[in-house]
Amino acid sequence: MGGQLILIRHGIAEERTPEGDDFYRKLTEAGVEELTAFLPDIAHLLTESGNLKIWTSPLVRARQTAELVAEATAVEVIQPQEFLETGDFVAFMEALKQEDDGFNFALVGHEPYMSNWTKELIGAAIPFKKGAVAFFTVDMTAEPIGNLEWLLAPGESAKRKYEDAAEKMHAADKHEGTSKYDPCDGEGTLYAGIINEQIVGVQHAYAAYQQDPVEPESAHALRVAIRQLRALLNFNKANGEEKYYREAGEDWRDIATTFGYLRELDVLMEECRELRGLYPEMLAEDGQVMTWLMEERQGEQTSIHELITSGALTERILDAEAATAHFLKSISLDDDQQKKATIKKLEKMKKRLMRKWEEVDFSNHEQTHSLRINAKKLRYAATYLAPIMGEKDKETIKEMKKVQTALGTLCDFDINGHLLLEMADKTDDPELQHHFRTLSEHQFQRREAMLNDEAD
């Protein structure tokens, strides 16, 4: 038995108040407008297989959202279900088993239940922004039973529209000298569309990590997605509300930091495997060093798992998304102004970075590490802000990749060397301490040799 499930979180609603009844909280005017613009754009995705049924939490804000879904998809009947209010997944599954094969349900509910249900379906919790829609194919005989096909939220499904707008703006600039766009707040701009697409990327990477936390690339991909998002937010730091920029930036940084030590361990373990030919007994897969590193990684992975299962990390992601949304709303630049500001800032950042590149002390880890991070930020901006500028700044991307490559190995040697010394201090085993210190010294020697090559 199988079919399709579409999980939908209600739209932006009135704030909860101590004296108010949570049941009767309504969608705000902005929440209605956002869903009214968003849902028709994805209605064809919801109804491709036909026979769409809508179940909703009885709470007013969910019921209003369900009505907007019904209007967009031409579904006449909406059925309230208590389990969508309480988040009772077992009760939901019992109800689902009574349905025919090939079911197609839109389920309108609340957080944290939408995230919890996603974990039940695919083994990974995904944070749901207000108004977000996640589409799953389901096979009741499989393990896990679900497969996430796509996840969208207001502003994200319009990627094609943003790209079309960018092409029109580019054409107007090319043939007429200027492009004419009416002023708008930051929520409806090309920049907002790019940021929202990046948030979707973070959500998918977060789900991918949960589904395969042992795979080193899953943690790496998540950290990269967050860094890309932070780099793009930084581009409008001066154009929006500082309070929300700071909140969003700190939240996203904290989330990325959660996976930082795990990533350091993965880089170190890969380096140790590459050195196995030089130290075959010391670095055997089942030897002391690799066994200790794998146990250390498992312990860190377990700590992260506890953060996820408790809902703490998912809640932090939702807080970061909310602060990001507030920041976007506070930006007053329209698309034409954004283009001019983006090109100007790219040029300014590039000049400053290349000046630092000429002055950097390669023996100073703090300087090289900072320069490497700034090169990444500039490369991300030149790549992902292309819809605003009309095309990618290929020359900047090429130059920043060169800077990153030159500094990357140098930084890794330093980090690995200090990490190994810390591990030597953690163990009481004299032989293991010797191994860690030997490997640490090897990393510092390779770094020194690389510095000497640069000097030559």
Side-chain angles (χ1 to χ4, degrees), residues 114 207 313 370 426:
M114 294 291 94
L313 194 55
S370 175
K426 281 186 178 182

Side-chain angles (χ1 to χ4, degrees), residues 125-149:
I126 298 174
F128 275 68
K129 294 170 63 177
K130 290 175 182 175
V133 180
F135 186 97
F136 303 84
T137 51
V138 174
D139 178 353
M140 303 293 278
T141 64
E143 180 60 40
I145 64 171
N147 185 61
L148 177 64
E149 301 296 339

Side-chain angles (χ1 to χ4, degrees), residues 169 181 184 188-191 333-339 388:
M169 181 161 61
Y181 279 82
C184 55
T189 60
L190 287 165
Y191 175 74
L333 302 182
D334 63 26
D335 287 331
D336 191 43
Q337 294 167 331
Q338 187 71 252
K339 178 175 182 177
I388 293 174

Side-chain angles (χ1 to χ4, degrees), residues 264 267-268 270-272 274-275 278 362-363 365 368-369 372 405-421 436-454:
E264 288 180 353
V267 171
L268 178 57
E270 182 59 30
E271 173 69 5
C272 287
E274 291 183 7
L275 294 177
L278 190 60
F362 287 96
S363 65
H365 174 69
T368 55
H369 183 60
R372 181 189 183 194
T405 301
L407 298 177
T409 305
L410 203 60
C411 290
D412 285 346
F413 283 152
D414 190 89
I415 293 170
N416 287 343
H418 285 97
L419 193 57
L420 285 161
L421 287 178
F436 283 142
R437 287 177 181 140
T438 299
L439 291 169
S440 174
E441 183 62 26
H442 184 271
Q443 293 295 288
F444 290 136
Q445 287 175 354
R446 291 184 70 185
R447 184 174 190 274
E448 191 64 29
M450 190 172 179
L451 287 171
N452 289 336
D453 285 342
E454 290 288 341

Side-chain angles (χ1 to χ4, degrees), residues 26 33 54 162 176 194 232 275 281 305 445 450:
K26 300 177 181 178
E33 290 179 355
I54 301 175
Y162 286 122
E176 300 175 15
I194 292 166
L232 297 178
L275 294 177
E281 293 183 6
H305 179 70
Q445 287 175 354
M450 190 172 179

Side-chain angles (χ1 to χ4, degrees), residues 82 92 116 135 201 220 233 278 298-299 435:
E82 185 178 350
F92 161 64
N116 294 343
F135 186 97
H220 180 52
L233 286 174
L278 190 60
Q298 181 59 54
H435 291 337

